Amino acid sequence: MSTTPITFPEGFLWGAATAAYQIEGAAHTGGRKDSIWDTFARVPGAVADAHNGDVACDHYHRSGQDVELMKSLNLKAYRFSTSWARCMPDGRTPNPEGIAFYSRLVDELLAAGITPWLTLYHWDLPQALEDEGGWANRETATLFAAYAAVMHEALGDRVRIWTTLNEPWCSAFLGYAAGVHAPGRQEPAAALAAAHHLLLGHGLAAAELRRLDPQASLGITLNLTVADPADPNSAEDQDAARRIDGMHNRIFLDPLFRGEYPADVLADIAGLGFETVVHDGDLAIISTPLDLLGVNYYQGEALTKTAARAEKADQPETVTTTAQAAPESAERPAPTPFVSADGVHSVPRGLPVTGMGWEVQPEGLLRLLTRLQREYTGPAGIPLYMTENGAAYPDVPDADGFVNDQDRLAFFDVHLRAVRDAIDAGADVRGYLAWSLLDNFEWAYGYHQRFGLVRVDYETLERIPKASGLWYAKVAASNALPSSRAVAHVA
């Protein structure tokens, strides 16, 4: 057995990621007004135990402490999001005090030798814009580009990596079709409109940022799945996998990289008015060239349309494996977010699962990255970055608050090995940003699911690195994995 560490390419970027609403708190401080998540969290039954992000991890008041924590973990990059509701509370008017918070954060990161990676939108649309139709309203895309310009004016002299959107699939389909994310609407046609307007907003913002700063690195982050037929020999299951791949992956990848929506997806959604949403010239804007693609991966899924197999699996209509659906305690009926995939079910495969019930499938990441390289980013000549990957487990702290989270540690280990395998197979992957730096507000699950490398005591707000965080710090410092794989129940 080799005892040689598994090294990553020179310059490989190691970091961690968070999102504004999940960690900042200070919900009504410094001129910030409600986002759609503030409003959604007040809806009875929408979020487990009526949790909200009013305080969260109080990162707004503790950013300096958190940056020092990042430095102690040897992070070279920090992917954070700016809150549109903090920076432009009405969606249109800059709020200098809110913007100043992010300026201070960027300065703190740079002083610590950490690269700031800014995501403009991680789901916190100003409620004022949702009142005007939200992402189902075409004007929101134009306003998003104006927001991008405001943030670049404030931070563009120091921020060199910009992500426009995080996981537009979740924003559109969990928010406007299934209703399990903010704004909680269950309108399939509005969800499709939102998906297109999110992409249009991305394209408009990317073009504006490119105009303002030709040297900036611009990208978008997609949460992507690996859709397999539960029975590869079943035509029904093959169609189930095609539909989910279409409505989860290709509905975003194809417009971005090929300037068109997939023909089969358009056929699947015929009759929902999508053709009236897409205007001449939109796809040319959406396919504005990028400098990188961010990939968020948690697991793939085996899919069926065969009633007997679905009944045996005792599964509801599939929601998603890579996005947070509503926990049982939220008690809100949720239709499928896949508006063209009624009757498609996700079938468990006997794999180990995380605390979210998500299957642990690192080989799916290998297949995903090599597919992206082959079909999308390779032909476009741009690199891939893992912008989220991680796991929730039922952490049990000891008397000192330390969490010996060997399951999470092993999850990171096997997925990082899959990344290295993908690189060996030709995928141009240049960095890995763990999800997440801190335990935080986990959307409809409230504070019940913990993904952090660092434990947050929600009563005292004390931060204590977990075993996985200490392990990750060593990996980041050495740019290498230990020769022996970590062992837990994630094989």
Side-chain angles (χ1 to χ4, degrees), residues 4-10 12 14 420 423-424 478-482:
T4 304
I6 299 171
T7 59
F8 284 76
E10 185 178 354
F12 193 82
W14 296 96
R420 179 68 254 197
I423 294 171
D424 290 341
S478 64
N479 196 38
L481 291 169

Side-chain angles (χ1 to χ4, degrees), residues 17-100:
T18 65
Y21 189 75
Q22 292 183 272
I23 67 167
E24 284 179 4
H28 300 103
T29 298
R32 184 188 181 279
K33 294 185 179 179
D34 278 354
S35 74
I36 53 175
W37 269 96
D38 296 281
T39 302
F40 186 68
R42 292 195 290 266
V43 175
V47 176
D49 294 332
H51 290 174
N52 60 57
D54 287 359
V55 176
C57 305
D58 196 33
H59 173 72
Y60 183 86
H61 295 110
R62 299 166 187 257
S63 63
Q65 172 189 346
D66 288 339
V67 170
E68 286 301 311
L69 182 60
M70 296 176 216
K71 185 176 181 180
S72 74
L73 295 176
N74 301 316
L75 303 186
K76 298 299 184 289
Y78 174 53
R79 178 175 171 254
F80 64 98
S81 72
T82 53
S83 168
W84 195 350
R86 189 179 299 284
C87 298
M88 302 176 78
D90 64 358
R92 292 178 169 86
T93 309
N95 171 32
E97 189 171 355
I99 295 170

Side-chain angles (χ1 to χ4, degrees), residues 283-416:
L283 286 160
I285 294 169
I286 290 168
S287 57
T288 296
L290 300 175
D291 300 303
L292 61 93
L293 176 66
V295 178
N296 291 359
Y297 175 82
Y298 291 92
Q299 72 166 30
E301 50 203 321
L303 299 152
T304 188
K305 290 176 71 177
T306 305
R309 189 177 296 113
E311 183 177 349
K312 183 178 180 181
D314 193 29
Q315 290 290 301
E317 288 185 315
T318 185
V319 177
T320 179
T321 56
T322 60
Q324 292 75 4
E328 291 182 5
S329 55
E331 297 179 354
R332 298 184 79 242
T336 175
F338 296 103
V339 298
S340 67
D342 287 339
V344 173
H345 301 259
S346 181
V347 179
R349 291 169 286 190
L351 297 172
V353 297
T354 70
M356 300 284 284
W358 299 346
E359 293 181 331
V360 179
Q361 190 195 0
E363 63 84 22
L365 178 56
L366 169 60
R367 285 195 282 144
L368 174 62
L369 292 172
T370 53
R371 177 194 181 185
L372 291 170
Q373 179 71 31
R374 181 177 64 252
E375 299 182 17
Y376 295 101
T377 55
I382 66 170
L384 294 156
Y385 285 83
M386 290 300 305
T387 41
E388 284 186 29
N389 180 232
Y393 284 103
D395 293 344
V396 180
D398 65 17
D400 297 319
F402 178 73
V403 175
N404 187 18
D405 57 336
Q406 293 300 311
D407 288 339
R408 184 177 293 105
L409 188 160
F411 181 98
F412 282 122
D413 184 88
V414 294
H415 283 82
L416 282 166

